[in-house]
Amino acid sequence: MAHNQNKPNSSVARSNNRYILMGLLTLCGAQLGQAAEIKIGVSLSIPPYVIQETNSGLELELLNQALAVKGHTASIHYLPLARTFHELREGKLDGIINIKDGMIDNVFYSNVAITYQNCAISLEANHFTINNINDLNNKQVVSFQRASSLLGEEFARMAKANSGYQEQARQVQQVYMLMKHRADVVVMDKNIFKYYLKQAYLEGKLTEKDSTQQAICHQIFPPTEYKFAFLSEQIRDDFNAGLKQITQDGSLVALQEKYRRLMSFENEAEVSNKLTEPKIIKNDSY
């Protein structure tokens, strides 16, 4: 009887020992400076930063280039946000992107890897004065999902009091609503806006007249800086070293230019003399 009772415990012990051994082997390889395949958890497709359909995007290419400096490669695992946290804690992932200090314990945070800039975006033709969050009161405002819980207490109060406030899970819908005059203001990252604006035009969901309206990015929100988190201190250090190198040697600037052109209407403007490039311009007070 005692022998049978010990079987499950032995099985669990063997399983735990196997995970521990795998972790030690990975850690030893990292400590010795050996090249490794790094399993990275990514929770959302956020073009142009993460484009899941093509396994590309500014952030993913930045990640790959920085890790490659020390010979590492990244294996991307698309999972719900909560699951990325769980699997990192379990050691099934080696790292995750888009993290702020303190969001998860017992990990090593990188230097700032990417910066998002949320804006209140309006059409210039409407001549809105938007210098702070209070200026969004009594306007038809469309934000990204969970913005009311992510953009601070003042924004949350505005969202609760404003009967014209809504959130959209699909950010391309925000672009449609602004350019089709179904919303006064959309709140989103300016690069995400530019990406979806061009895609909507190319897919025929916005006309040339719609797409070439001038938009204004009212920077009433501070930039949002994100880090990456790794289980291994050595891999974190390797990533930081790679990030520093690609910043200094111009690779990062070239990558940013690549995605700037991806979001630009320059090529389309060359084909059509009538199409001028839409631009997001900043409020004059910034």
Side-chain angles (χ1 to χ4, degrees), residues 170 172 176 195-207 211 265 268:
R170 296 180 63 240
V172 67
Y176 298 156
Y195 177 89
Y196 280 128
L197 177 63
K198 182 174 180 180
Q199 293 306 305
Y201 171 73
L202 294 178
E203 293 170 8
K205 295 176 181 177
L206 291 176
T207 67
S211 301
F265 280 70
E268 282 65 38

Side-chain angles (χ1 to χ4, degrees), residues 126-145:
N126 289 331
H127 303 290
F128 291 140
T129 298
I130 303 175
N131 296 320
N132 53 59
I133 291 172
N134 285 335
D135 290 333
L136 299 179
N137 292 326
N138 303 315
K139 290 183 174 63
Q140 298 290 320
V141 178
V142 184
S143 294
F144 58 89
Q145 197 169 36

